[in-house]
Amino acid sequence: MTDRAYFDWNATAPLRPEARAAVLAALDVVAAPSSVHSEGRAARAVVERARCQVAALVGAETKEAVFTSGATEANALALTPDLVAQGRPVTCELLFVSAIEHSSVLSGGRFSAEQVERLPVTAEGVVDLAALRTAIVGAKAPLVSVMHANNETGVIQPIAEIAAIVHEAGGFLHVDAAQTAGRIACDVALLGADMLTISSHKIGGPQGAGALIMRRVQPATPLIKGGGQERGFRAGTENVAAIAGFGAAAAAAAATYEAAGDRMAALRDRFETLLKLTAPDAVIFGAGVPRLPNTSYFAVPGLKAETAVISFDLNGVAVSSGSACSSGKVAQSHVLTAMGADPALSPGALRVSLGWTTTEPEIDRLLIAWKRVAAALLKRQAYAA
Ligand code: PMP
């Protein structure tokens, strides 16, 4: 699709060539990985190689990774009151989640609604550490879930500091790293995460695969019971082809993310500079704090995001109105609400997210589209100049 420019990488990233090759090769696997015959062992080898690649991406041990159908399922598996820590059962009384989490975390997993408490964020979209400290004090084995970076704003959370606070209070930390593993440095030990979620399709692997890294704790029971695959943590014959593609994408991302990040940051900054020149009243969310290098989340007074997304699309450019998971519904972003953003701005929030193949001419195309969209929807002819 050379006549189109894709700027929705935080929703899903196009398949990497390495992942495509691995998927195609694995489709010829003839047996289930649990079978003991040679064919089964060949399938097992494909899965284990991928496990090694995925674990290495986040500095985990291979045995700490369990494959799931995606980040949503990994989050649902992790968020349970019944954990096992160093071989001993632990019951978590309460789950604390930041107010800007993905809906799969906000829903609280296997905790009841009364057991889930939301943690506030600052106006820049960073978890309020003082509020976290106060909230978890006195809770019995609190489980805390905070994302590494937010999918809408791209704002990176101070996970190592959060881990220190949580561990001091005798709690456990789950980190949803769907937006960061394979995109920025994401080392499970350096972050201090006890459990960590990864998604395949955010890093150029196929959709429908993910992993939960379980370091200091594990869920006591699986979410999906059955044949005991994945060491009993996730029943069901493994999705061998998707897992193979996930592994290949993880290996490719590990080798290239740093250079890709620098390149994307320069392109993103160029877009934002020109956006501000054409629309000085544009508000760029989270611009004052560390952000993912590929994400720009902004609003301009008077702009309606739904109409703008369609208008961009007609101009050959794919952007998103905030979180893709909630698009299609005309709901205000819960992330912007939690940040206390001006309610007059929120309905116009647009997310532009770049990827490792994004080019300078694509940014030019985005800027031309932006000028047309602004001229048409905001009736500011100066934009079209
Ligand atoms: N967490 C975050 C932060 C995400 O951005 C997403 C994808 N929108 C998910 C979880 C869900 O990932 P998946 O599509 O792999 O279930």
Side-chain angles (χ1 to χ4, degrees), residues 140-157:
K140 192 181 143 242
L143 180 59
V144 176
S145 184
V146 175
M147 64 207 324
H148 192 187
N150 182 264
N151 44 307
E152 291 183 34
T153 58
V155 168
I156 298 168
Q157 303 299 321

Side-chain angles (χ1 to χ4, degrees), residues 35 50 54 73 102 105 114 151 153 211 233 313 323 357 384:
S35 300
V54 167
E73 189 192 324
H102 185 261
V105 169
E114 304 77 58
N151 44 307
T153 58
F233 286 106
D313 194 43
S323 148
T357 63

Side-chain angles (χ1 to χ4, degrees), residues 303-321:
L303 200 68
K304 289 266 169 293
E306 271 73 30
T307 331
V309 168
I310 294 166
S311 186
F312 268 106
D313 194 43
L314 294 172
N315 281 287
V317 174
V319 301
S320 142
S321 56

Side-chain angles (χ1 to χ4, degrees), residues 14-32:
L15 199 63
R16 289 178 190 264
E18 300 88 339
R20 175 186 296 276
V23 168
L24 290 176
L27 284 172
D28 287 329
V29 157
V30 293

Side-chain angles (χ1 to χ4, degrees), residues 99-100 121 152 297 331-343 346:
I100 56 166
V121 298
E152 291 183 34
Y297 193 36
Q332 172 146 328
S333 154
H334 70 282
V335 176
L336 292 180
T337 303
M339 288 163 64
D342 181 350
S346 305

Side-chain angles (χ1 to χ4, degrees), residues 166-228:
V166 171
H167 292 152
E168 203 177 280
F172 300 99
L173 177 65
H174 165 255
V175 174
D176 178 350
Q179 292 292 343
T180 55
R183 295 175 159 208
I184 58 170
C186 178
D187 181 289
V188 70
L190 291 179
L191 292 173
D194 300 309
M195 294 186 278
L196 184 118
T197 289
I198 315 173
S199 177
S200 161
H201 70 105
K202 308 288 184 186
I203 58 169
Q207 296 166 343
L212 181 67
I213 305 293
M214 307 176 302
R215 258 181 92 229
R216 285 177 59 233
V217 286
Q218 294 107 34
T221 55
L223 196 60
I224 300 173
K225 301 183 184 82

Side-chain angles (χ1 to χ4, degrees), residues 2-385:
T2 47
D3 59 331
R4 304 265 316 164
Y6 183 73
F7 288 102
D8 202 9
W9 293 66
N10 284 9
T12 209
L15 199 63
R16 289 178 190 264
E18 300 88 339
R20 175 186 296 276
V23 168
L24 290 176
L27 284 172
D28 287 329
V29 157
V30 293
S34 307
S35 300
V36 294
H37 41 63
S38 301
E39 291 84 349
R41 291 202 305 277
R44 167 64 48 209
V46 172
V47 172
E48 294 315 314
R49 179 175 147 80
R51 196 185 312 280
C52 205
Q53 292 167 315
V54 167
L57 178 65
V58 294
E61 286 182 37
T62 305
K63 64 173 180 354
E64 293 172 333
V66 162
F67 286 118
T68 63
S69 65
T72 297
E73 189 192 324
N75 288 341
L77 175 62
L79 302 183
T80 173
D82 301 310
L83 298 173
V84 175
Q86 267 114 37
R88 287 217 298 272
V90 181
T91 304
C92 301
E93 238 177 18
L94 294 170
L95 171 67
F96 297 88
V97 302
S98 88
I100 56 166
E101 295 301 308
H102 185 261
S103 50
S104 57
V105 169
L106 286 180
S107 66
R110 287 179 272 179
F111 284 83
S112 68
E114 304 77 58
Q115 290 176 292
V116 185
E117 286 189 23
R118 289 196 188 182
L119 302 164
V121 298
T122 66
E124 291 280 29
V126 181
V127 172
D128 182 335
L129 299 186
L132 165 70
R133 228 179 245 111
T134 314
I136 64 175
V137 79
K140 192 181 143 242
L143 180 59
V144 176
S145 184
V146 175
M147 64 207 324
H148 192 187
N150 182 264
N151 44 307
E152 291 183 34
T153 58
V155 168
I156 298 168
Q157 303 299 321
I159 297 295
E161 282 174 74
I162 291 172
I165 294 169
V166 171
H167 292 152
E168 203 177 280
F172 300 99
L173 177 65
H174 165 255
V175 174
D176 178 350
Q179 292 292 343
T180 55
R183 295 175 159 208
I184 58 170
C186 178
D187 181 289
V188 70
L190 291 179
L191 292 173
D194 300 309
M195 294 186 278
L196 184 118
T197 289
I198 315 173
S199 177
S200 161
H201 70 105
K202 308 288 184 186
I203 58 169
Q207 296 166 343
L212 181 67
I213 305 293
M214 307 176 302
R215 258 181 92 229
R216 285 177 59 233
V217 286
Q218 294 107 34
T221 55
L223 196 60
I224 300 173
K225 301 183 184 82
Q229 288 89 348
E230 293 294 293
R231 291 188 293 122
F233 286 106
R234 206 276 186 178
T237 300
E238 290 89 341
N239 184 353
V240 178
I243 288 171
F246 182 17
T256 55
Y257 78 84
E258 258 173 306
D262 291 347
R263 219 179 54 79
M264 286 188 281
L267 292 174
R268 189 266 318 267
D269 292 350
R270 182 169 157 244
F271 165 69
E272 289 189 346
T273 304
L274 279 146
L275 173 74
K276 282 296 238 180
L277 275 178
T278 52
D281 51 351
V283 174
I284 299 172
F285 301 108
V289 290
R291 272 185 302 163
L292 291 175
N294 76 321
T295 306
S296 182
Y297 193 36
F298 65 94
V300 179
L303 200 68
K304 289 266 169 293
E306 271 73 30
T307 331
V309 168
I310 294 166
S311 186
F312 268 106
D313 194 43
L314 294 172
N315 281 287
V317 174
V319 301
S320 142
S321 56
S323 148
C325 310
S326 62
S327 65
K329 292 180 238 155
V330 189
Q332 172 146 328
S333 154
H334 70 282
V335 176
L336 292 180
T337 303
M339 288 163 64
D342 181 350
L345 276 178
S346 305
L350 288 172
R351 182 184 66 188
V352 167
S353 51
L354 287 59
W356 40 92
T357 63
T358 301
T359 61
E360 192 97 37
E362 284 178 324
I363 296 289
D364 293 339
R365 181 158 195 159
L366 172 67
L367 285 162
I368 291 167
W370 161 246
K371 286 184 184 178
R372 289 191 191 146
V373 169
L377 300 183
L378 295 168
K379 310 276 181 263
R380 295 189 211 180
Q381 290 310 321
Y383 284 9

